Amino acid sequence: MTVLVTRPKRDSLAFAAILRRRGIESLIAPLLMIVDVTITVGDLDGVQGCVVTSANGADALARATANRSVPVLAVGTVSAARAREHGFTGVHAAGGDLESLAVLIRRSLDPGVGRLIHVSGSRIAGDLAGLLARDGFVVERVVGYHAEAASGLPQVALAALRGGHLLGVAHFSPRTAAIFMRLVREAGVETSLQSLVGFCLSDAVARTLEGSGWKDLVVAPRSDAESLAGCIALAGEHS
């Protein structure tokens, strides 16, 4: 039982270790390369909280400040766990999408206390600042990394898709899922999806893959790596 993992290399290796503990083999074929941007957010005077919408955003925030007591509002459990790994003590996780993150911020913070800093990649999905502006929050976005897309499917992925021995593909973000689909079409291996399961971290990821000819799309009940690994293990038992 083998699953293709297309996350950036560090994240793919971490997920592969989780799968291995469940007896699941993985093939790592990163479709995004993370390029760090040097930033600093200082001592965070006048900032009541920091927002991260990816694990890489949490990494960038940790590089940018030595302050580990600032509240961190994370889009989901994966980014929250990474922030905790870096020693941030007041970490709160939303439900895995921008709307639930906005709800968490409205419930947890007061727009009159100070601004928020959102540490993100150069490309973002949705408009968090716009969602919160109507409530009086000021969100300052700081770009902490670039996520550069692969120009083609890695050979290990192409060979696996053509070989027909995969159980499925693990998808962690809408952007990576969209890149995967584009590269699959460009490589002319779309028909391989008919025998594969798309394992999705969230409903937003699954929506990106709908109508693409997959054998099945499975969404993890919680937006975290362990939950997704559990879905993969269960599917493997019934394959």
Side-chain angles (χ1 to χ4, degrees):
M1 177 169 49
T2 305
V3 173
L4 185 65
V5 183
T6 61
R7 305 188 79 191
K9 186 175 180 180
R10 171 180 172 173
D11 299 321
S12 285
L13 289 171
F15 189 58
I18 293 172
L19 293 177
R20 192 159 50 247
R21 290 197 294 270
R22 293 176 176 267
I24 303 165
E25 296 298 320
S26 58
L27 284 176
I28 295 176
L31 297 185
L32 288 174
M33 181 176 70
I34 303 302
V35 180
D36 295 338
V37 174
T38 300
I39 60 171
T40 180
V41 294
D43 59 9
L44 301 174
D45 281 347
V47 174
Q48 67 164 323
C50 292
V51 181
V52 294
T53 44
S54 68
N56 292 301
D59 293 342
L61 175 62
R63 294 193 304 272
T65 181
N67 186 334
R68 293 296 187 264
S69 62
V70 62
V72 176
L73 294 304
V75 71
T77 56
V78 174
S79 49
R82 185 67 62 80
R84 293 187 184 103
E85 287 175 13
H86 287 296
F88 291 97
T89 56
V91 181
H92 310 273
D97 56 48
L98 217 57
E99 289 73 19
S100 66
L101 178 58
V103 170
L104 174 65
I105 291 170
R106 292 186 193 109
R107 290 176 176 172
S108 305
L109 303 178
D110 180 347
V113 172
R115 73 188 191 281
L116 305 176
I117 290 182
H118 176 197
V119 181
S120 73
S122 54
R123 292 183 55 171
I124 56 174
D127 180 13
L128 181 64
L131 285 175
L132 294 171
R134 70 193 71 168
D135 302 293
F137 287 97
V138 175
V139 181
E140 175 187 342
R141 181 170 164 242
V142 178
V143 174
Y145 66 94
H146 301 293
E148 298 180 356
S151 58
L153 276 179
Q155 284 301 312
V156 64
L158 194 56
L161 290 168
R162 287 174 172 163
H165 62 273
L166 289 175
L167 173 65
V169 183
H171 299 281
F172 279 76
S173 74
R175 184 185 177 197
T176 308
I179 292 169
F180 176 80
M181 289 307 309
R182 174 174 61 80
L183 296 181
V184 162
R185 293 185 184 107
E186 290 176 358
V189 290
E190 282 180 273
T191 56
S192 64
L193 304 182
Q194 296 172 6
S195 61
L196 300 180
V197 179
F199 297 102
C200 307
L201 188 68
S202 68
D203 289 326
V205 175
R207 286 194 293 271
T208 305
L209 299 175
E210 286 176 351
S212 300
W214 294 82
K215 176 184 176 182
D216 194 13
L217 294 176
V218 174
V219 179
R222 301 185 312 279
S223 297
D224 62 66
E226 289 287 355
S227 182
L228 187 61
C231 292
I232 294 171
L234 184 61
E237 291 174 1
H238 294 93
S239 64

